[in-house]
Amino acid sequence: MPLDSEFELFRDNFRRFLHEYVAPYYEQWEEQGLIPREIWNKLGENGFLCVDVPEQYGGYGAPVHYSLMLVQETAQAGFTSLAVAIGGQSELVSPYIQNIGSEQQKSFWLPKMVTGEVVSAIAMTEANAGSDLQAIRTQAILQNDHYLVDGSKTFISNGHHADLIVLVAKTDPQARAKGISILLVDAHLEGVKKGRTLKKIGLHAQDTAELFFDQVRVPAHQLLGEMGKGFAYLMQELPRERLSISMMALGSILGAIELTKTYVLERKAFGQALSQFQNTRFVLAQAQIKAKAAQAFVNQCAELYRCEQLTVTEVAALKCFITDTQCEIMDQLLQLFGGYGYMQEYPISRFFVDARVQKIYGGTNEIMKEIVARDLLGK
């Protein structure tokens, strides 16, 4: 899609934001294991949250590629923990409310998400139900004017800071897919408990938590869409999530290539720059070639999404290809740093560890292959 001067100005402003408000503090956030709550308010003040939300709800009503650019640029700068956080708010939760929510739900939640007053999380995964969403056990039973919610969720991005939880639950425990509904749960309701912030091998600053629901009374009007249609809504909105993950992966690839290029031009071995060795040149050239292929695939899918033509199969293929490619490239680029690549003080190590989860969340790549296979071969 064509990128105009307004888009470039918006991107430059965001790059300055990252340079001023993120870069000086990011290492500290990684060590602390949490991005501070204040950054959400700062993102909102500067207009970098949920930018495609219509103006009537406080957003810019910007084209979707403005929003997707933010997660790519954040990952490209090496701040993937923050990219996941922004993506959770702008690329996961916001579209659910925009596309499925009632007027009351949109008017109440979206303006607060745009300003950063409300941090949001989507709670699908459970300890015994990862990619198999039909097997979830969290229940939301309708009782007159409210749902009574019991259960737990794990691996929830933005879980610690969350003010709003988009909760996937069983409203009919006996049914599988047709028993799933989605609720908008105020995280401050009695009975909502946030567990420990989970420690991970990568994405150290990303707010990932367990959530527990004990007899939580959720007003009936906070049902998102219709009862029993939750699984269909998830299938409808998952392409945006997987496109966002792919944008993050692309950003990480481009950022790591640039980082490695700078290193090999400056670093010397056996009396010459590393950039003069054929292996170095071939590894970087191959990474660049794959990056260009990934960029073309991402651009194609982003355009299909803009035209409301992106299929579950197409974006599954993209997510699988680009995250597999990302992990492969990170391993090869880290090797060029030698022992320094294994040291946390060198940013390439963070690119490496942050990449691995991309093949898991948003649906594992094994599930992505199964989706493509079913489309190709049938069930």
Side-chain angles (χ1 to χ4, degrees):
M1 60 190 70
L3 304 180
D4 55 26
S5 58
E6 192 173 279
F7 176 87
E8 296 297 345
L9 177 62
F10 185 66
R11 178 159 59 185
D12 287 344
N13 287 339
F14 185 61
R15 286 173 174 170
R16 282 195 289 272
F17 176 90
L18 293 175
H19 179 73
E20 182 175 354
Y21 295 108
V22 178
Y25 314 107
Y26 193 77
E27 289 291 343
Q28 180 183 347
W29 300 347
E30 286 271 294
E31 290 174 7
Q32 293 173 343
L34 191 67
I35 295 169
R37 177 64 178 80
E38 294 74 30
I39 198 66
W40 289 98
N41 302 100
K42 191 65 70 175
L43 283 162
E45 288 169 15
N46 286 272
F48 296 131
L49 291 175
C50 307
V51 298
D52 63 331
V53 165
E55 291 183 32
Q56 69 191 92
Y57 305 116
Y60 294 145
V64 68
H65 63 280
Y66 279 67
S67 188
L68 291 168
M69 176 274 294
L70 297 175
V71 294
Q72 179 183 332
E73 285 291 333
T74 308
Q76 191 164 333
F79 311 137
T80 309
S81 289
L82 182 59
V84 173
I86 294 172
Q89 179 104 336
S90 301
E91 307 304 320
L92 274 73
V93 174
S94 175
Y96 274 90
I97 298 175
Q98 286 188 63
N99 297 334
I100 307 166
S102 66
E103 186 58 36
Q104 180 186 29
Q105 291 167 344
K106 293 176 187 179
S107 298
F108 184 81
W109 291 113
L110 290 176
K112 295 178 174 66
M113 290 172 60
V114 170
T115 63
E117 177 185 345
V118 162
V119 175
S120 60
I122 188 162
M124 300 186 204
T125 305
E126 298 182 5
N128 296 310
S131 295
D132 184 9
L133 292 173
Q134 299 181 67
I136 62 172
R137 296 179 180 177
T138 297
Q139 295 186 12
I141 305 303
L142 183 61
Q143 296 185 352
N144 300 318
D145 63 347
H146 67 272
Y147 289 90
L148 200 62
V149 178
D150 286 284
S152 63
K153 298 289 180 178
T154 193
F155 306 148
I156 307 306
S157 298
N158 297 346
H160 180 78
H161 286 318
D163 302 293
L164 167 64
I165 301 164
V166 176
L167 179 69
V168 180
K170 282 282 184 72
T171 46
D172 181 354
Q174 306 308 314
R176 282 181 63 80
K178 293 183 179 179
I180 293 175
S181 301
I182 303 176
L183 299 176
L184 300 180
V185 179
D186 185 331
H188 306 289
L189 289 174
E190 185 178 352
V192 178
K193 296 183 177 63
K194 296 174 180 178
R196 61 197 173 101
T197 300
L198 301 172
K199 294 182 179 181
K200 310 174 294 296
I201 64 170
L203 297 178
H204 294 147
Q206 214 298 305
D207 168 9
T208 310
E210 298 171 314
L211 299 176
F212 301 94
F213 306 88
D214 181 15
Q215 297 284 286
V216 181
R217 295 167 62 94
V218 179
H221 63 79
Q222 291 297 348
L223 175 71
L224 190 66
E226 297 180 35
M227 189 188 296
K229 291 193 175 180
F231 191 77
Y233 295 144
L234 292 170
M235 295 304 102
Q236 171 187 311
E237 298 302 326
L238 275 172
R240 175 77 174 257
E241 177 184 3
R242 289 167 182 164
L243 181 58
S244 176
I245 291 169
S246 300
M247 296 294 285
M248 276 189 275
L250 176 63
S252 294
I253 291 169
L254 296 175
I257 289 174
E258 190 61 31
L259 191 70
T260 308
K261 185 178 79 171
T262 300
Y263 179 79
V264 300
L265 286 168
E266 295 175 351
R267 180 77 175 176
K268 290 187 176 181
F270 303 104
Q272 60 180 328
L274 289 181
S275 60
Q276 297 303 307
F277 290 96
Q278 185 184 66
N279 179 68
T280 301
R281 300 171 72 84
F282 281 10
V283 167
L284 272 167
Q286 188 69 14
Q288 181 74 353
I289 291 165
K290 291 181 178 180
K292 286 184 175 295
Q295 177 81 71
F297 201 173
V298 165
N299 288 349
Q300 179 190 55
C301 287
E303 179 63 14
L304 287 171
Y305 183 84
R306 187 183 70 82
C307 298
E308 300 182 355
Q309 295 176 359
L310 182 61
T311 66
V312 170
T313 301
E314 192 74 12
V315 79
L318 170 66
K319 193 261 182 186
C320 184
F321 166 75
I322 198 167
T323 56
D324 278 349
T325 299
Q326 176 191 15
C327 288
E328 179 184 330
I329 287 175
M330 295 306 166
D331 183 63
Q332 293 168 347
L333 295 184
L334 184 144
Q335 187 73 16
L336 295 180
F337 285 75
Y340 291 110
Y342 204 65
M343 300 296 110
Q344 288 189 353
E345 64 186 279
Y346 280 74
I348 191 65
S349 66
R350 190 166 66 234
F351 276 100
F352 177 81
V353 295
D354 287 353
R356 186 57 183 84
V357 74
Q358 309 273 3
K359 296 167 64 172
I360 297 172
Y361 62 23
T364 66
N365 280 8
E366 288 73 24
I367 296 294
M368 299 304 99
K369 291 171 186 175
E370 181 61 27
I371 291 170
V372 174
R374 287 185 180 185
D375 185 66
L376 186 67
L377 304 169
K379 293 184 180 183

